[in-house]
Amino acid sequence: MAHISLSYLLGLFILTVQSRCVTNAKDATKPNFILMMVDDLGIGDVGCYGNDTIRTPNIDKLAKEGVKLTQHIAAAPLCTPSRAAFMTGRYALRSGLGSTGRVQVILFLGASGGLPPNETTFAKLLQKQGYTTGIVGKWHLGVSCKSRNDHCHHPNSHGFDYFYGLPFTLFNDCKPGNSTDVLGDLQKLLWHIFMPLALALLTLIMAKIIRLLEIRSTLLMFLAIVYVLCFLTWYIPFAFLQTWNCIIMRNQDVVEQPMNLDTLTQKLMKEAEQFVERNQNSPFLLFLSLPHVHTPLFISKEFAGKSKHGLYGDNVEEVDWMIGRMVKVVEKLNLSERTLMYFTSDHGGDIWISDTQGHIGGWNGIYQGGKNMAGWEGGIRVPGIFRWTNRLPAGKIINEPTSLMDIFPTVVNLAGGQLPSDRILDGHDLLPLLEGKTKSSKHEFMFHYCGVYLNAVRWHPPDSDSVFKVHFFTVNCSSVQMCLCHIVSHHDPPLVFDVTSDPSEAVPLTAETEARHGEVLLRVQDAVQEHQRTLTLPENQLSWPNTLWKPWLQPCCGMFPFCSCSET
């Protein structure tokens, strides 16, 4: 009996060892992924995309050693919807993150809107394939739904094993001394309303004291309480924005509140490098989501005043240095041939942003428009660079239409995962195009949204090098960064451009100047009808009830509302 038991145990041990060897061998063939996204970077800010004054040698080297996409398109010209589409491979309105009105991004950490729990990110699918997944940097897709601790929208609930960084984003409120940009005009309006009301209330009180009017004390008390409650309802969330919105979390714990911008760059790079080092012997995915170059601009001392373009140029050059550090750690660990590295921006540069020293937003090169300007190329055309040593051809340039949503099916297929069959995917696997096995993009049509409203469509005819773009409406933007999707100019007939020959969208085509003009409009009309049949809109995550601040959802370290902690 003992002999049988020993034989059984020995056999079990051998099978276990063999199984682990097979698993490890299989894992060794799986590529790692390092996805690097900058916030608000203009495509014209990078050397290999035409900039000859801002120095970006590390990003340029990535392009030289890999594949550069020239028509890489974000699904939205704003952070929250663009990142939702990137994560899921689906247009943001399919996730409820397309705006229907004033609120176009998540405005408060203590809000209930965000990426819904039933959405599938590429990180979730890679976890199932044995990957360790991490995000270092910016999230901006929500935190909690009903309680401070449910973390239903948190990265840990969306497939990321590890999270370190900003669950929110950078707003002006995050940098002491800057003006606010969270509903700033509404704050001013409310202030102008509350001050006359306060004066009127004080006048009534004085009239009662000197007996000019007979007013019941209970009525005055009621009015005073209502006024104070209304005032505090708006004042408190805005007064504490820096403390409550601008924080750092490690997984689900708040570790710095408010965050220290002076040390943020070094902390993010240390976390990103350590994640790669910890997981170098097994497949991993790292999403390095930089808070740069979103305003308020912050800069390390080593880069201050070094560029020819002021604080913004300094910021871009620091980003380039950060990308270089990620490449160095990959090469130091001999992971280059096992690691697909990807570089992009979430959308175009912000052409509205200025301060006392002048313009501090991005440059979108020859492309019209920018961040928050739906439809125009400057708001949605972004850098797209892939490097995978000895797998992808070096120095290759692809002019075909591609999308940030293509990352989802590309990494899932490379990891050996199964794409979800229970939902519509809008992205396509890029690998055949990157490797040169096919010359044409699978994106015959691409749909460009302003919130939930379809405002433009791209058509790349299979029999042509042209890429036609049809604008149904264009957004009317004011001088205060306000580009709202319901304040627009409709075009009948629609504006038609060939963005291959006219990438600046300067001269609309007509039936007289383009033989295919009528065909373009008909084909696009048919494509829109087919596309709209696939749409089933879920709950609007950017509605006022979902985006307004709720104290019971506010992440906090220490005693709420006096949240305060710092990392050592």
Side-chain angles (χ1 to χ4, degrees):
M1 188 73 171
H3 177 71
I4 295 173
S5 299
L6 285 172
S7 300
Y8 174 77
L9 291 173
L10 181 60
L12 184 62
F13 173 76
I14 292 172
L15 285 172
T16 302
V17 170
Q18 288 177 337
S19 175
R20 286 181 177 175
C21 288
V22 170
T23 300
N24 290 338
K26 184 179 179 181
D27 286 346
T29 66
K30 291 185 175 182
N32 306 311
F33 303 98
I34 297 180
L35 313 177
M36 300 173 288
M37 179 178 283
V38 190
D39 196 1
D40 288 14
L41 181 73
I43 191 171
D45 291 326
V46 182
C48 60
Y49 283 95
N51 195 306
D52 58 3
T53 53
I54 296 179
R55 295 165 295 186
T56 57
N58 294 299
I59 299 171
D60 299 343
K61 185 181 177 185
L62 268 186
K64 185 177 180 181
E65 296 175 348
V67 180
K68 183 179 78 170
L69 307 177
T70 64
Q71 202 172 153
H72 202 39
I73 307 298
L78 283 168
C79 302
T80 296
S82 174
R83 289 165 182 268
F86 171 73
M87 286 284 175
T88 63
R90 291 151 51 83
Y91 292 109
L93 74 165
R94 297 192 194 274
S95 303
L97 286 164
S99 170
T100 59
R102 168 68 185 272
V103 180
Q104 302 179 75
V105 298
I106 293 172
L107 296 175
F108 300 97
L109 263 183
S112 56
L115 188 62
N118 61 356
E119 280 296 332
T120 300
T121 66
F122 51 70
K124 277 185 181 178
L125 296 181
L126 262 64
Q127 276 184 329
K128 295 180 180 179
Q129 298 303 310
Y131 277 73
T132 302
T133 56
I135 173 173
V136 172
K138 168 178 171 172
W139 176 242
H140 207 185
L141 291 172
V143 178
S144 295
C145 290
K146 296 182 179 179
S147 75
R148 186 174 297 145
N149 298 315
D150 67 26
H151 298 109
C152 69
H153 304 307
H154 189 279
N156 290 157
S157 300
H158 279 294
F160 289 97
D161 299 302
Y162 184 73
F163 169 60
Y164 178 89
L166 294 68
F168 190 52
T169 184
L170 278 181
F171 272 163
N172 278 333
D173 307 87
C174 298
K175 189 174 182 179
N178 278 38
S179 60
T180 184
D181 51 9
V182 179
L183 301 178
D185 58 329
L186 184 56
Q187 292 184 55
K188 291 179 181 178
L189 174 63
L190 290 170
W191 181 259
H192 290 312
I193 291 174
F194 284 135
M195 289 304 99
L197 288 178
L199 182 61
L201 184 59
L202 288 173
T203 301
L204 288 175
I205 292 172
M206 291 300 299
K208 176 175 176 59
I209 291 174
I210 62 177
R211 297 183 180 180
L212 285 178
L213 294 173
E214 288 294 329
I215 305 173
R216 292 185 180 182
S217 299
T218 52
L219 177 60
L220 285 177
M221 182 64 69
F222 173 76
L223 292 174
I225 292 173
V226 169
Y227 172 81
V228 169
L229 288 176
C230 290
F231 179 77
L232 292 179
T233 298
W234 285 98
Y235 176 77
I236 288 178
F238 295 121
F240 287 87
L241 275 174
Q242 183 188 2
T243 298
W244 289 344
N245 264 355
C246 309
I247 70 174
I248 295 177
M249 297 182 80
R250 176 176 280 107
N251 291 323
Q252 298 177 6
D253 297 322
V254 180
V255 296
E256 189 165 274
Q257 190 171 20
M259 63 184 169
N260 182 354
L261 294 181
D262 292 335
T263 59
L264 181 58
T265 295
Q266 291 295 339
K267 286 178 179 177
L268 294 178
M269 290 312 302
K270 179 181 177 182
E271 290 288 338
E273 291 169 338
Q274 288 181 345
F275 179 87
V276 174
E277 290 166 353
R278 283 197 308 269
N279 297 288
Q280 60 182 293
N281 296 318
S282 58
F284 66 83
L285 176 142
L286 171 64
F287 178 30
L288 178 59
S289 177
L290 300 182
H292 315 63
V293 290
H294 197 294
T295 53
L297 299 175
F298 65 100
I299 195 72
S300 301
K301 293 179 180 178
E302 296 81 3
F303 294 92
K306 295 299 177 64
S307 81
K308 296 180 180 179
H309 289 280
L311 188 56
Y312 183 83
D314 297 345
N315 225 237
V316 175
E317 292 188 3
E318 183 170 21
V319 163
D320 182 76
W321 170 80
M322 297 170 79
I323 301 304
R325 277 187 59 168
M326 290 311 303
V327 173
K328 284 181 181 178
V329 74
V330 168
E331 293 177 344
K332 180 185 73 173
L333 299 173
N334 297 316
L335 296 175
S336 295
E337 295 187 7
R338 289 178 46 206
T339 304
L340 175 62
M341 301 190 75
Y342 168 68
F343 173 83
T344 193
S345 175
D346 57 353
H347 48 69
D350 196 340
I351 65 173
W352 291 103
I353 294 292
S354 298
D355 65 5
T356 55
Q357 297 179 340
H359 185 68
I360 55 172
W363 182 51
N364 298 310
I366 63 174
Y367 305 109
Q368 185 175 168
K371 175 182 178 180
N372 200 15
M373 298 180 69
W376 297 114
E377 291 294 278
I380 55 177
R381 195 179 289 220
V382 295
I385 300 173
F386 292 83
R387 190 195 85 156
W388 188 356
T389 304
N390 291 337
R391 178 68 185 267
L392 298 182
K396 185 179 180 66
I397 298 175
I398 295 175
N399 299 314
E400 292 287 298
T402 59
S403 170
L404 264 65
M405 295 184 291
D406 296 335
I407 302 306
F408 181 102
T410 302
V411 300
V412 171
N413 285 339
L414 278 168
Q418 294 292 320
L419 296 176
S421 59
D422 62 342
R423 62 198 63 207
I424 299 290
L425 289 182
D426 300 299
H428 298 290
D429 189 347
L430 282 177
L431 190 62
L433 194 62
L434 297 175
E435 291 185 317
K437 294 179 179 178
T438 182
K439 294 184 178 180
S440 298
S441 167
K442 292 183 180 179
H443 288 286
E444 182 179 356
F445 295 95
M446 297 177 73
F447 303 92
H448 305 302
Y449 280 92
C450 186
V452 297
Y453 308 107
L454 182 67
N455 76 305
V457 177
R458 218 179 199 85
W459 179 41
H460 182 29
D463 61 349
S464 172
D465 292 332
S466 291
V467 176
F468 296 104
K469 190 167 165 200
V470 176
H471 289 258
F472 303 115
F473 67 80
T474 48
V475 180
N476 299 329
C477 299
S478 72
S479 60
V480 290
Q481 288 180 258
M482 198 60 63
C483 303
L484 299 177
C485 300
H486 55 280
I487 303 177
V488 301
S489 295
H490 290 276
H491 302 290
D492 187 16
L495 301 179
V496 181
F497 299 94
D498 183 345
V499 293
T500 300
S501 59
D502 180 20
S504 300
E505 298 171 284
V507 182
L509 300 174
T510 65
E512 289 73 29
T513 59
E514 172 56 53
R516 302 186 73 167
H517 184 270
E519 180 192 2
V520 171
L521 293 177
L522 287 174
R523 291 298 303 273
V524 165
Q525 183 181 29
D526 291 343
V528 168
Q529 291 176 354
E530 181 62 30
H531 170 67
Q532 290 178 336
R533 281 195 285 268
T534 73
L535 296 176
T536 303
L537 300 188
E539 177 190 357
N540 180 10
Q541 297 292 320
L542 296 178
S543 65
W544 282 111
N546 279 329
T547 54
L548 288 180
W549 178 75
K550 303 173 181 66
W552 58 91
L553 297 182
Q554 179 61 51
C556 180
C557 59
M559 183 68 70
F560 182 81
F562 307 105
C563 312
S564 178
C565 58
S566 62
E567 271 194 306
T568 55

